[in-house]
Amino acid sequence: MPLAAPPRLIVFDLDGTLIDSRVDLCNSVNATLAHLGKPTLPEAVISGYIGDGASMLVRRAIGDPEGDITDDQYVTKALTFFLDYYRIHKLDYTYVYPGVREALEAIRATHPEILMAVLTNKPVHPSRDICDHFGLSRFFFQNYGGNSFHTKKPDPHGLEALISEASTLSGHTITPAETIMVGDTDIDVLTARNCGARSIGCTFGLKPHSLEDAPPDHLAHAPADWLSFVLANS
């Protein structure tokens, strides 16, 4: 199905959308658990905890997602170790999904007027470092992380901020209806819905099963599908 109108802004999630960071995130979580004297967890279990930011990832891993078991000092200790470890090991096994660079290049070549950005719940510094390392930053006018605002996805604040910035850059107002959020989880779909934007769900990501809980407007089975949705409305 084609999109309702040609987009003027495309916003991408990072983990599970542009990059596969599963192994490095899981290794960092298990290093944290070992540091705390807790048993490590299978990669499949930790992968299910990814998507809501570093703090929630750590809370889920230590078995306290609601924050009513351990005190804040303990969680801070765990999170600090996790972030320090991940900062060093974030590029050990992480890679860009096949076809991502080609898809971004194609969008830029065929539609240079479309602005692109990143909105992730990963902390902003590792997000930008990873995009810099893989040469992805050149495609994006902005890269915001989970600590860039007072709220995280699925709160629409970050996406609304990007729409406002894109409008200023382009010299004309960009509406949510002209904006697409691309991601691999229900969090990304809900972010788009909460803003009034459209969504593309990536079935090749880290948590594509979560898309069943919040079906996106369109499904992308490979990065090349992103371009097909854009071209369908050109």
Side-chain angles (χ1 to χ4, degrees):
M1 292 289 293
L3 295 167
R8 292 182 176 177
L9 171 63
I10 304 176
V11 179
F12 295 89
D13 175 47
L14 183 62
D15 299 287
T17 301
L18 299 176
I19 62 169
D20 188 334
S21 53
R22 183 196 314 263
V23 174
D24 289 332
L25 286 170
C26 291
N27 287 349
S28 297
V29 167
N30 275 332
T32 302
L33 293 174
H35 176 72
L36 297 173
K38 287 179 169 288
T40 57
L41 296 171
E43 184 176 304
V45 172
I46 299 174
S47 296
Y49 298 159
I50 298 170
D52 290 286
S55 179
M56 185 56 72
L57 173 60
V58 170
R59 281 189 177 277
R60 286 169 174 159
I62 63 177
D64 189 17
E66 303 301 326
D68 56 2
I69 300 174
T70 54
D71 58 38
D72 289 341
Q73 186 176 1
Y74 184 84
V75 175
T76 299
K77 173 186 175 183
L79 180 59
T80 299
F81 183 91
F82 170 80
L83 291 173
D84 288 343
Y85 188 94
Y86 185 65
R87 188 174 298 114
I88 297 170
H89 296 280
K90 64 183 178 292
L91 292 167
D92 288 357
Y93 297 98
T94 292
Y95 62 92
V96 179
Y97 282 115
V100 164
R101 290 190 185 87
E102 292 81 357
L104 296 176
E105 289 278 14
I107 292 172
R108 170 170 285 180
T110 57
H111 291 276
E113 76 283 0
I114 295 178
L115 295 173
M116 295 187 283
V118 170
L119 179 62
T120 173
N121 279 344
K122 180 191 289 292
V124 66
H125 290 303
S127 174
R128 291 176 176 174
D129 288 345
I130 289 171
C131 286
D132 287 346
H133 175 81
F134 288 117
L136 299 178
S137 296
R138 62 193 176 93
F139 295 107
F140 309 119
F141 74 88
Q142 187 57 273
N143 183 329
Y144 282 137
N147 55 343
S148 294
F149 306 99
H150 63 286
T151 59
K152 298 180 175 68
K153 297 182 296 182
D155 188 284
H157 182 73
L159 187 54
E160 290 168 346
L162 286 170
I163 292 173
S164 177
E165 289 184 29
S167 296
T168 299
L169 280 175
S170 65
H172 57 256
T173 299
I174 295 176
T175 66
E178 297 170 319
T179 302
I180 302 172
M181 180 79 217
V182 182
D184 67 308
T185 74
D186 57 338
I187 294 170
D188 301 301
V189 176
L190 293 173
T191 303
R193 286 185 190 173
N194 291 338
C195 183
R198 291 169 286 164
S199 59
I200 295 176
C202 300
T203 62
F204 54 85
L206 300 181
K207 294 175 67 176
H209 57 279
S210 70
L211 297 174
E212 297 175 5
D213 298 324
D217 296 309
H218 303 274
L219 287 174
H221 302 296
D225 292 339
W226 305 337
L227 179 63
S228 67
F229 293 133
V230 174
L231 291 178
N233 287 267
S234 303

